[in-house]
Amino acid sequence: MTVLKIAVQKEGRLSEKSLGLLTECDISVVQGKRKLIGTSVDYPLEVLFLRDDDIPQYVADGVADIGIVGENEVLEKDKNVILVKRLGFAKCRISLAVPQDSDYKDLSWFNGKRIATSYPHILQKFLDEKKIKSKIEEISGSVEIAPSIGLADSIFDIVSSGSTLVSNRLKEVEVVTQSEAVIIATPNLSKEKQTLLDGLLFRIKTVQQSQGNKYILLNAPNEKLGEIIKLLPGMKSPTVLPLYLEGWSSIHTVVHEREFWGIIDKLKEHGAEGILVIPIEKMIL
Ligand code: PRT
Ligand code: ZN
């Protein structure tokens, strides 16, 4: 039987969300004893638990068919892989940052300066494009302390909230690229594996489509139905069912939580009662 092999981060910021995404797709993963390989009983899927840095290489070599990894690692490793889908979590940017008291005006500041980073490939490409000549100091962790210990004049690193920069007296001066978790695939997947990947992507789509949407049920007097339905954005057209109590109906529809709070008061003003808001797990449009 054909099995799709997916690489996910073993331990780190992406691990929980990657497995969580599979769970939402009704794919539960049982981890083996050595915790390097997991299997699923709900889908022909094998999970390889790896360091995120290794995922692009494993996928390019076809050891894993697909992988969930940060776009930053995909850009840095620059392997022969296909970006299949952006997943919308682990969002961050990779930026240049300089000491807060620097007289920074524009990129030319970096000429002749030392920049510490774990992303030398992305940085070199950017500097070449901008015709800036700097010295890249490649280090694997705690990049943000490099300027204070005299190892570099500035850094190029991942920024999310920005608080790491602030607590190290640095300021972000240039966003070079944005990143989020993505699915990558090996080129030339077999037809059988492509079908399994398509099936997985379809499940992910139904989960993502449901996000933020709520199923709403409410009771309304029949003479107010028209006005209340006008207030409801809905999917196509709401379902209206008669209640046992004469002159009343039950309205069912789907509303995004963004819109829900804006219409709730108006619904009540128009006589809606017994409003229920229910989470939606999956939506197939
Ligand atoms: O052990 P392994 O090699 O697998 O993991 P890792 O330590 O290399 O990576 P990990 O788990 O820290 O991050 C995995 C991925 O999460 C990264 O490759 C990014 O795609 C993504 N991501 C999202 C982040 C962040 N946000 C993030 N904030 N990765 C790291 N950070 C760090 C950053 O390095 C800096 O030290 O958080 C700090 C900045 O955060 P703020 O909020 O203070 O700005
Ligand atoms: Zn890593």
Side-chain angles (χ1 to χ4, degrees):
M1 190 184 73
T2 310
V3 171
L4 189 71
K5 290 187 194 166
I6 180 170
V8 301
Q9 191 189 23
K10 187 166 184 271
E11 219 176 275
R13 286 169 208 266
L14 302 173
S15 314
E16 210 182 297
K17 287 247 170 83
S18 305
L19 289 178
L21 180 68
L22 295 178
T23 309
E24 284 175 324
C25 293
D26 297 326
I27 300 172
S28 53
V29 176
V30 186
Q31 246 169 317
K33 271 211 185 94
R34 285 167 58 226
K35 295 197 169 172
L36 296 175
I37 295 181
T39 47
S40 168
V41 282
D42 319 302
Y43 205 78
L45 198 74
E46 188 170 287
V47 184
L48 310 181
F49 295 95
L50 302 171
R51 280 201 60 189
D52 67 346
D53 311 57
D54 298 332
I55 293 177
Q57 178 79 58
Y58 274 70
V59 172
D61 292 347
V63 176
D65 301 309
I66 61 169
I68 300 181
V69 68
E71 216 173 338
N72 50 312
E73 288 299 334
V74 181
L75 293 171
E76 179 60 26
K77 299 297 186 295
D78 208 4
K79 301 288 176 197
N80 185 19
V81 296
I82 298 162
L83 199 159
V84 175
K85 185 162 181 56
R86 293 176 189 280
L87 293 171
F89 62 85
K91 284 191 173 171
C92 55
R93 48 200 191 271
I94 319 180
S95 298
L96 283 160
V98 304
Q100 278 170 2
D101 53 12
S102 319
D103 57 344
Y104 184 90
K105 286 196 188 66
D106 57 41
L107 273 177
S108 64
W109 184 92
F110 288 99
N111 272 315
K113 296 281 200 304
R114 295 165 303 161
I115 311 173
T117 189
S118 312
Y119 297 96
H121 179 74
I122 302 174
L123 178 57
Q124 190 62 63
K125 216 170 142 202
F126 175 77
L127 294 174
D128 289 348
E129 266 167 31
K130 303 288 178 187
K131 301 197 168 37
I132 305 283
K133 293 215 177 324
S134 313
K135 182 161 190 310
I136 298 178
E137 304 284 353
E138 184 178 350
I139 49 175
S140 58
S142 305
V143 169
E144 63 279 359
I145 62 164
S148 63
I149 60 171
L151 185 70
D153 306 298
S154 56
I155 67 164
F156 175 61
D157 199 11
I158 292 178
V159 183
S160 175
S161 67
S163 63
T164 303
L165 293 183
V166 172
S167 53
N168 286 281
R169 308 186 129 274
L170 297 167
K171 59 181 176 188
E172 185 177 10
V173 290
E174 196 81 31
V175 177
V176 172
T177 187
Q178 310 272 349
S179 175
E180 65 188 274
V182 294
I183 297 184
I184 51 170
T186 195
N188 310 318
L189 269 183
S190 70
K191 223 174 140 197
E192 292 81 6
K193 290 196 177 197
Q194 185 64 48
T195 305
L196 290 177
L197 173 57
D198 291 343
L200 178 65
L201 292 173
F202 178 72
R203 291 194 189 197
I204 292 173
K205 198 168 128 196
T206 68
V207 170
Q208 289 186 335
Q209 270 162 354
S210 73
Q211 271 160 10
N213 279 311
K214 305 284 176 201
Y215 191 76
I216 301 219
L217 293 109
L218 57 87
N219 295 334
N222 286 346
E223 68 271 17
K224 299 277 187 176
L225 277 180
E227 291 166 39
I228 289 182
I229 287 169
K230 258 191 229 146
L231 292 170
L232 296 167
M235 283 175 81
K236 235 183 205 164
S237 166
T239 306
V240 179
L241 299 169
L243 288 189
Y244 182 68
L245 182 68
E246 215 158 284
W248 281 74
S249 296
S250 167
I251 305 178
H252 300 201
T253 193
V254 173
V255 174
H256 198 277
E257 60 194 3
R258 246 189 338 259
E259 295 161 316
F260 175 73
W261 295 108
I263 57 170
I264 183 76
D265 286 337
K266 284 197 200 117
L267 289 174
K268 278 167 41 191
E269 272 167 35
H270 284 79
E273 286 180 12
I275 304 171
L276 296 181
V277 182
I278 300 167
I280 298 174
E281 207 176 278
K282 300 188 178 63
M283 253 168 82
I284 298 161
L285 299 176

